[in-house]
Amino acid sequence: MTIGKTIGKTLAWLIAALLILIAVLVIFILTFDWNRARPYVNEKVSEAIGRPFAIEGDLKVGWRHPVGETGWRAWVLWPRFSAQNITIANPDWTRQKHFATLDEIDFQVKVLPLLAHDIVIPAINLVNPSVDLERLLDGRNNWTFKLKSSAQPSEWKLDLHDIQLNKGMIALSDQQKKIDMQAVVDTLGQPIPIGEALKQQQEASRKSSAEVVGQRGAKQLTAQAKAASGASAASAVAPGAPASGASTTASEAAATAGAGASPAVPASSTGASAGTAVAPRQTAPQYGIGWTVKGTYNRSTVSGSGKLGGVLALQDRSRPFPVQADVKAGDLRIALVGTVTDPAHLAAVDLRLWLQGTSLDHLYDLTGITLPETPPYATEGHLIGTFKQGASVFRYENFTGRVGGSDLNGTLVYTQRPTRPLLEGTLVSNLLQFKDLAPVIGADSNASKKKRGDTARQPSNKALPTEQFKTDRWKAIDANVKFTGRRIIKDPALPITDLYTHLVMTDGVLSMEPLKFGVAGGSLASDIHLDGSTTPLKGRFSTQARHLKLKQLLPTAKTMQSALGEINGDAELSATGNSPAALASTSNGEVKMLVTDGTISLLLMEAAGLNVANVVYEKLFGDHDVQINCAAADFVVTDGVLDSRVFALDTQDAVINVDGKVNMKDESMDLGVHPHTKGFRVFTLRSPLYVKGTFKDPHVGVNAAALAVRGGAMIGLGLINPFAALIPLIAPSNNKPLPCQQLMTAMQAEHPTAPPPGQREKGGKGVKLPAGTPGASDAAPASAPSKKPAAPVNGASLPGPAHAADYKGS
């Protein structure tokens, strides 16, 4: 009994002593002035981060009951720490004194996990935090800390669940990236689901689209988006159906329907991957933090706002982190709604993306992607991507857009590579306005240039575009893109119907093989090779015209509606220069054209020959057709000057020959048109015509000297006998037609050639008219048929002796 009592008393004393110790500790914690510990805390933290740290306000420690705990754990008090007026100093080279300032910080720590060396903080409350980030041109930055290294890893682990903000400020000054911005970050009043944010952003983006491409364009874009969304849904339901075909059909229908559209929510927000239908997650991502930003980027004004998920969402790397942004940088507006996987390391993105601006080439400053200059545009689509070191891949898939008055649909893939990134894709325009292609080569008006921010101006006396190609950007990225314009909207007098091109760019060399237009019931296909890796640019051009119908070449000319012939031709040119005008003025090579087996309006032919009586007769009593035996044109191009070796038209009634030169350096013309009548004509002014002036201001008229001689004879004879005045207007017959078969054989056998860029054509080749033929020149060298085989063009051979049918009319 004595031993038991002794043990009992001992335990009682121990328990009492422990209770007294705890009471004393509690009293000490509650009554101790923790501000006395500030110098020690400041010293230790400064030593750890390698930067002066200071708590300049009160430092307090208190005890509170835990929130959310139940049972006996609810009785275990948690310590609550708070500190006011905290500062972290900047290096001495920065503009601002402090890297970070904080009015107040307070947080609680769970007690029991401390026994396992775990510091569990449910939430930290930050009041008016401010962070200054700076980087100089030499690479020095103030966000890299020299943390104190430890010989052994720490046994303590930090587990932070959430951060609550009260108007945080972040300033960024980056001289390398030319960024100077200020951002305000604050906790939202209540969480916002990603679906609601998507709906709000869609409405805002489509409203801003109307400001860029107009109300009509915005409605058409909405219709395109709805069609693309419906096509995507259809392909998901029926995986075996071709998605591209479905998308095209739906897009074409939407172009005329004009109905509204709702873009698909990014797959990550519902738990579905692209093209896969799976059950949605029970809880969609929500936004907990809002932000606004303003400043400058690359000297362009930047402003915008957005939302982020709460810090709790950052704990699970596999859980998509919601992001939303609506930012305007200069004339560019970018909006996005979606998720980022593992945002600390940027593992992947899944976003609904809207882009709007005055020209697509302005995206280069932001993304480094080389795109052509265009009219104002607006697009929306689905951006998915994965981040990998040196091999990131992004897909802007099934996007829809408006570029000027044209629609644009397709998918683009950006792949990061060790040498240069690669842009691949397939683009389709179902309704393409031809004028929207003009900015690509600088052929739009000065007003249009000014609107898209281009300082270059087209001289008023120049027809060929003088705007420089931006070849310095061609080395920034490689490209492999196919573009189809299915229906071209243009001036009724322009006989172009559709467009296709395959654009390839590799290490500064741009090729379009082919650039093919549907023209007048036939095709005009060119292989274009522009080497932008040299200065000046070197260009090679090969063009083939096939089956161009005479009737459709001038669709608005009534006198051509009964024409049945076809035009076929070839051209080979090389040039140097950094603009279309410069390339034209330095071009060298050959151009050949042939028209055979057709009919053309007699009215047009007689008007060209100035057969006055026949023109008046046809105007009064109608028109009929005349058979074309053949027409041939053969030009040699030297330093931008086109010199006609053969330019003649043979019909059943007349031979018309054209000679002279066209100078593309000063855009001048000096041509003579010589009609030679085969039959007997009355009232025919058989004097040569002239075509002079410039491309912008041409002058066409009758050779005054020859006409004066004939007019003087008419007046002199008229004084003797009024009827005798008709004699000079009577054209004697000239029965020497063009040797059509010989011309055809020579034109088919001799394919045009061009020297290397920057060199002149050596020797004289071409078709020679036999002596005595109207328009023949004895000085013109005859060409021997070339034995060089015809080169294939888009699967078809160039016209040669074995392909004479290509030159036959319909």
Side-chain angles (χ1 to χ4, degrees):
M1 295 294 294
T2 302
I3 297 175
K5 290 181 179 180
T6 302
I7 295 175
K9 290 181 179 180
T10 303
L11 291 174
W13 279 107
L14 290 173
I15 292 173
L18 180 60
L19 292 175
I20 293 173
L21 180 62
I22 293 175
V24 171
L25 182 62
V26 170
I27 293 172
F28 173 78
I29 293 174
L30 294 176
T31 60
F32 178 73
D33 185 5
W34 288 93
N35 288 321
R36 297 180 180 180
R38 285 187 306 176
Y40 175 79
V41 174
N42 292 344
E43 180 183 356
K44 291 300 180 182
V45 175
S46 298
E47 182 180 349
I49 66 175
R51 194 84 62 83
F53 171 89
I55 300 175
E56 299 175 351
D58 289 338
L59 175 63
K60 299 179 181 179
V61 179
W63 294 85
R64 288 187 179 181
H65 285 284
V67 178
E69 297 286 355
T70 58
W72 63 269
R73 296 176 183 272
W75 294 93
V76 180
L77 298 179
W78 292 354
R80 178 180 179 272
F81 301 88
S82 67
Q84 296 179 341
N85 298 332
I86 300 173
T87 63
I88 300 176
N90 255 329
D92 56 7
W93 51 262
T94 59
R95 296 183 304 178
Q96 301 297 328
K97 181 179 179 181
H98 295 118
F99 169 76
T101 61
L102 187 64
D103 286 359
E104 183 179 357
I105 179 174
D106 66 81
F107 58 92
Q108 286 183 286
V109 179
K110 291 185 177 182
V111 173
L112 296 179
L114 293 174
L115 300 176
H117 296 88
D118 288 339
I119 303 175
V120 180
I121 301 176
I124 286 183
N125 182 36
L126 305 176
V127 179
N128 294 334
S130 178
V131 179
D132 171 71
L133 304 174
E134 297 184 40
R135 179 164 60 179
L136 301 182
L137 282 173
D138 59 14
R140 285 181 293 169
N141 66 75
N142 68 339
W143 58 79
T144 301
F145 287 81
K146 297 179 180 179
L147 301 178
K148 182 180 179 181
S149 60
S150 176
Q152 295 179 350
S154 176
E155 297 180 356
W156 292 90
K157 296 179 181 179
L158 177 63
D159 186 3
L160 174 62
H161 286 181
D162 200 4
I163 296 178
Q164 297 177 352
L165 297 175
N166 184 4
K167 290 186 178 179
M169 303 286 294
I170 302 175
L172 172 61
S173 175
D174 189 337
Q175 294 183 5
Q176 285 188 346
K177 301 294 185 181
K178 299 179 181 178
I179 300 174
D180 191 359
M181 296 187 191
Q182 300 79 43
V184 178
V185 184
D186 202 353
T187 303
L188 297 175
Q190 60 182 9
I192 298 178
I194 191 172
E196 182 178 341
L198 177 65
K199 183 178 179 180
Q200 293 174 354
Q201 186 59 64
Q202 172 186 281
E203 182 178 352
S205 293
R206 290 182 175 172
K207 183 177 180 180
S208 63
S209 293
E211 299 174 1
V212 177
V213 296
Q215 292 287 348
R216 181 179 179 183
K219 290 181 179 179
Q220 292 170 330
L221 177 58
T222 298
Q224 292 171 227
K226 180 179 179 180
S229 178
S232 299
S235 62
V237 173
S244 60
S247 176
T248 297
T249 303
S251 179
E252 289 177 338
T256 55
S262 298
V265 177
S268 60
S269 65
T270 60
S273 60
T276 305
V278 297
R281 293 179 178 175
Q282 294 181 352
T283 57
Q286 294 184 325
Y287 298 100
I289 298 175
W291 57 268
T292 59
V293 66
K294 64 179 180 179
T296 61
Y297 172 71
N298 199 21
R299 300 183 180 89
S300 296
T301 303
V302 176
S303 62
S305 61
K307 306 177 188 66
L308 299 171
V311 177
L312 184 62
L314 293 173
Q315 303 301 312
D316 185 0
R317 292 185 177 181
S318 62
R319 182 179 182 181
F321 181 77
V323 295
Q324 182 267 327
D326 191 342
V327 178
K328 188 173 183 180
D331 64 344
L332 172 65
R333 185 164 185 170
I334 301 175
L336 55 89
V337 176
T339 60
V340 177
T341 302
D342 190 10
H345 302 89
L346 286 178
V349 294
D350 188 351
L351 307 168
R352 189 72 185 177
L353 178 65
W354 292 264
L355 296 173
Q356 298 150 12
T358 57
S359 178
L360 282 171
D361 80 308
H362 294 180
L363 288 171
Y364 177 82
D365 293 332
L366 179 68
T367 65
I369 299 176
T370 302
L371 295 171
E373 299 191 40
T374 66
Y377 68 92
T379 75
E380 61 176 274
H382 186 196
L383 177 68
I384 57 176
T386 56
F387 293 87
K388 296 180 182 179
Q389 186 65 31
S392 300
V393 179
F394 302 93
R395 289 176 57 87
Y396 193 29
E397 62 180 17
N398 298 327
F399 75 85
T400 59
R402 303 294 302 180
V403 180
S406 307
D407 71 290
L408 187 65
N409 312 275
T411 294
L412 290 173
V413 181
Y414 175 91
T415 304
Q416 189 180 24
R417 302 184 304 176
T419 52
R420 290 171 305 280
L422 173 64
L423 183 67
E424 299 175 284
T426 300
L427 305 177
V428 175
S429 176
N430 296 301
L431 296 175
L432 172 64
Q433 286 199 3
F434 189 74
K435 67 179 182 180
D436 292 336
L437 298 174
V440 176
I441 58 172
D444 53 336
S445 65
N446 285 337
S448 175
K449 295 177 191 291
K450 182 178 180 180
K451 188 174 183 180
R452 57 182 167 91
D454 198 324
T455 58
R457 291 293 179 267
Q458 179 72 16
S460 60
N461 63 334
K462 294 289 185 180
L464 298 174
T466 61
E467 185 174 339
Q468 299 279 313
F469 297 118
K470 297 178 180 178
T471 56
D472 56 318
R473 299 183 177 184
W474 292 8
K475 288 186 177 182
I477 192 172
D478 291 345
N480 188 340
V481 178
K482 297 178 180 179
F483 174 76
T484 301
R486 289 181 171 158
R487 178 186 171 192
I488 293 181
I489 303 174
K490 78 305 185 190
D491 185 282
L494 191 64
I496 298 177
T497 56
D498 55 79
L499 163 65
Y500 171 80
T501 188
H502 182 190
L503 184 148
V504 176
M505 187 160 59
T506 305
D507 195 17
V509 179
L510 174 64
S511 299
M512 286 179 280
E513 297 180 355
L515 173 60
K516 186 175 182 179
F517 290 91
V519 180
S523 65
L524 185 64
S526 299
D527 287 347
I528 299 176
H529 183 90
L530 303 175
D531 187 352
S533 64
T534 63
T535 302
L537 177 150
K538 295 181 179 180
R540 298 199 312 270
F541 309 87
S542 176
T543 301
Q544 300 82 34
R546 294 293 178 269
H547 308 296
L548 275 58
K549 305 296 189 298
L550 289 172
K551 178 179 180 180
Q552 299 180 33
L553 274 175
L554 299 172
T556 58
K558 294 182 179 180
T559 56
M560 294 292 288
Q561 296 310 300
S562 59
L564 299 176
E566 285 188 352
I567 295 179
N568 294 275
D570 298 283
E572 289 284 343
L573 297 171
S574 63
T576 61
N578 283 11
S579 70
L583 288 170
S585 66
T586 60
S587 57
N588 293 279
E590 294 181 313
V591 179
K592 299 176 185 289
M593 183 181 68
L594 191 64
V595 181
T596 57
D597 297 342
T599 58
I600 198 167
S601 166
L602 175 63
L603 175 59
L604 190 63
M605 290 298 94
E606 294 290 291
L610 293 180
N611 292 297
V612 180
N614 287 285
V615 170
V616 173
Y617 179 87
E618 295 295 338
K619 286 285 187 181
L620 292 175
F621 304 105
D623 184 22
H624 63 273
D625 299 331
V626 63
Q627 182 69 31
I628 297 176
N629 297 321
C630 66
D634 185 6
F635 288 91
V636 61
V637 186
T638 306
D639 287 340
V641 178
L642 282 78
D643 192 357
S644 61
R645 295 186 292 206
V646 171
F647 193 173
L649 172 67
D650 183 281
T651 75
Q652 62 186 11
D653 295 320
V655 173
I656 300 175
N657 174 258
V658 182
D659 58 17
K661 297 180 179 181
V662 176
N663 190 331
M664 292 187 288
K665 287 185 177 181
D666 56 11
E667 300 187 4
S668 64
M669 299 176 291
D670 186 6
L671 299 174
V673 182
H674 308 276
H676 304 275
T677 305
K678 289 183 178 181
F680 187 81
R681 290 289 183 273
V682 179
F683 297 115
T684 178
L685 299 180
R686 204 162 37 85
S687 299
L689 302 179
Y690 66 79
V691 181
K692 295 181 180 294
T694 64
F695 296 172
K696 292 280 288 187
D697 188 21
H699 299 284
V700 181
V702 180
N703 188 308
L707 184 59
V709 172
R710 182 167 301 204
M714 179 181 68
I715 295 174
L717 291 174
L719 295 175
I720 301 174
N721 187 332
F723 293 100
L726 299 177
I727 296 176
L729 301 182
I730 298 176
S733 176
N734 186 334
N735 293 313
K736 294 183 179 180
L738 289 179
C740 292
Q741 189 58 46
Q742 182 178 343
L743 282 174
M744 182 182 297
T745 301
M747 292 284 285
Q748 294 170 2
E750 190 65 52
H751 182 70
T753 61
Q759 298 182 19
R760 290 187 177 184
E761 183 73 69
K762 295 181 179 180
K765 297 181 180 180
V767 179
K768 180 182 178 182
L769 294 177
T773 302
S777 173
D778 294 335
S783 65
S786 172
K787 297 182 180 180
K788 176 182 176 181
V793 179
N794 308 326
S797 297
L798 287 170
H803 301 279
D806 287 345
Y807 277 83
K808 295 295 181 180
S810 59

